[in-house]
Amino acid sequence: MAVEVLTTADGREKTALSKRHAEAWFAARAAGDPIPVGRADPPLRPSRPAQPELRDPRDVPKRKPGSPAGRIALLHAVAHIELNAVDLHWDIIPRFAHVPMPMGFYDDWVKSAAEESRHFNLVCDCLEELGSHYGALPAHAGMWRAAEDTVDDFMGRLAVVPMVLEARGLDVTPGMIALFRKAGVTQAVDALETIYAEEVGHVAYGSKWFHFLCGRHEEDPKEAFHRLVRHYFHGALKPPFNEEKRAEAGLPPDFYWPLTDAQGTA
Ligand SMILES: [Fe+2]
Ligand SMILES: [Fe+2]
């Protein structure tokens, strides 16, 4: 099921399949007859639509966030992040299926993948309402890099994807909500508020399963997190941090503050 999602290129098709598979997973769980977790070979890179054109982040044109074109560009970037997130959450399941994990691990990522699928569609609806669509603008090419870098490091994947990248979303989303509220784009405010509320859960799942694996390997979670982020994440973490939401998601300040530039991590 994960590989089917990963190898579907079109965004709306990928997310529809993702939701269907998540519903089947949870229906089977509720019926007490869970779908067994098998083995499959996920592709190194997921299938993506022909548009948007993927460019080096330096070559993605910047637009003023206060303008209508700037708001479309911002939503387009969010849609791209959400589509990547759908693939990231499905990818972690077959990628590390050789490591025995409790069923709750799979529940969490299937649920997250279904939520990301809704996020993508909500943001695409906003883009279409504003006369644009996902694929109309170029998008960051480097977004899958974290997955490739951690392709054979389960704890590295959890450290970098939910606990760094998705946690970053908690830092920046309130500012985006304020921007769309100021512009009176209520549909985007609603979409971003849904995203903001649900992303706390994804960061929390990352932290939960990271701590679980640290316990299994008798590693100190904070030290392991610092080691793995320094190894796999390119660059320092950027304050300001949303300390309140990060705490709610099980990320204490002593996990991320030592990885900022000010702390000399370079
Ligand atoms: Fe999301
Ligand atoms: Fe997420």
Side-chain angles (χ1 to χ4, degrees), residues 155-156 158-165 167-168 171 210 220-241 243 246 251-266:
M155 286 175 62
L158 289 167
V160 171
V161 173
M163 297 172 78
V164 169
L165 298 179
R168 172 89 184 137
D171 303 334
F210 184 81
D220 177 80
K222 187 176 70 177
E223 279 166 26
F225 182 73
H226 291 166
R227 174 175 55 81
L228 291 164
V229 175
R230 286 187 176 120
H231 185 71
Y232 290 113
F233 186 71
H234 308 277
L237 306 192
K238 286 196 200 86
F241 299 112
E243 299 214 357
R246 283 170 172 257
L251 265 189
D254 59 351
F255 269 55
Y256 49 87
W257 271 108
L259 299 170
T260 60
D261 249 351
Q263 303 290 318
T265 55

Side-chain angles (χ1 to χ4, degrees), residues 125-136:
D125 293 346
C126 292
L127 280 170
E128 287 163 22
E129 192 63 31
L130 295 172
S132 187
H133 62 274
Y134 178 66

Side-chain angles (χ1 to χ4, degrees), residues 172-184 189 192:
V172 300
T173 308
M176 289 200 280
I177 293 172
L179 189 145
F180 284 98
R181 181 168 286 128
K182 193 165 166 234
V189 172
L192 289 167

Side-chain angles (χ1 to χ4, degrees), residues 116-199:
E116 305 294 9
S117 303
R118 188 165 68 252
H119 299 173
F120 174 77
N121 284 291
L122 285 171
V123 178
C124 285
D125 293 346
C126 292
L127 280 170
E128 287 163 22
E129 192 63 31
L130 295 172
S132 187
H133 62 274
Y134 178 66
L137 298 171
H140 282 207
M143 213 138 264
W144 195 251
R145 183 170 175 185
E148 284 182 59
D149 288 347
T150 57
V151 75
D152 51 17
D153 192 327
F154 194 7
M155 286 175 62
R157 173 70 64 93
L158 289 167
V160 171
V161 173
M163 297 172 78
V164 169
L165 298 179
E166 294 198 278
R168 172 89 184 137
L170 301 180
D171 303 334
V172 300
T173 308
M176 289 200 280
I177 293 172
L179 189 145
F180 284 98
R181 181 168 286 128
K182 193 165 166 234
V185 189
T186 51
Q187 189 182 2
V189 172
D190 293 348
L192 289 167
E193 278 180 342
T194 299
I195 290 172
Y196 185 49
E198 292 181 345
E199 289 303 330

Side-chain angles (χ1 to χ4, degrees), residues 26-131:
F26 285 111
R29 287 286 271 143
D33 184 21
I35 296 168
V37 178
R39 298 283 187 91
D41 282 323
L44 187 57
R45 292 179 180 180
S47 301
R48 287 295 165 75
Q51 301 292 331
E53 179 201 341
L54 301 180
R55 288 197 200 157
D56 187 282
R58 281 166 301 191
D59 302 327
V60 175
K62 301 247 183 310
R63 289 173 182 83
K64 269 213 231 134
S67 67
R71 287 191 288 273
I72 286 172
L74 190 54
L75 287 173
H76 196 277
V78 175
H80 189 59
I81 289 169
E82 300 298 344
L83 194 61
N84 268 277
V86 174
D87 284 327
L88 283 168
H89 294 326
W90 282 112
D91 185 85
I92 197 171
I93 295 172
R95 187 73 63 198
F96 303 104
H98 56 284
V99 180
M101 292 298 282
M103 281 303 263
F105 173 82
Y106 304 103
D107 287 338
D108 287 350
W109 298 118
V110 171
K111 178 169 179 276
S112 301
E115 288 172 350
E116 305 294 9
S117 303
R118 188 165 68 252
H119 299 173
F120 174 77
N121 284 291
L122 285 171
V123 178
C124 285
D125 293 346
C126 292
L127 280 170
E128 287 163 22
E129 192 63 31
L130 295 172

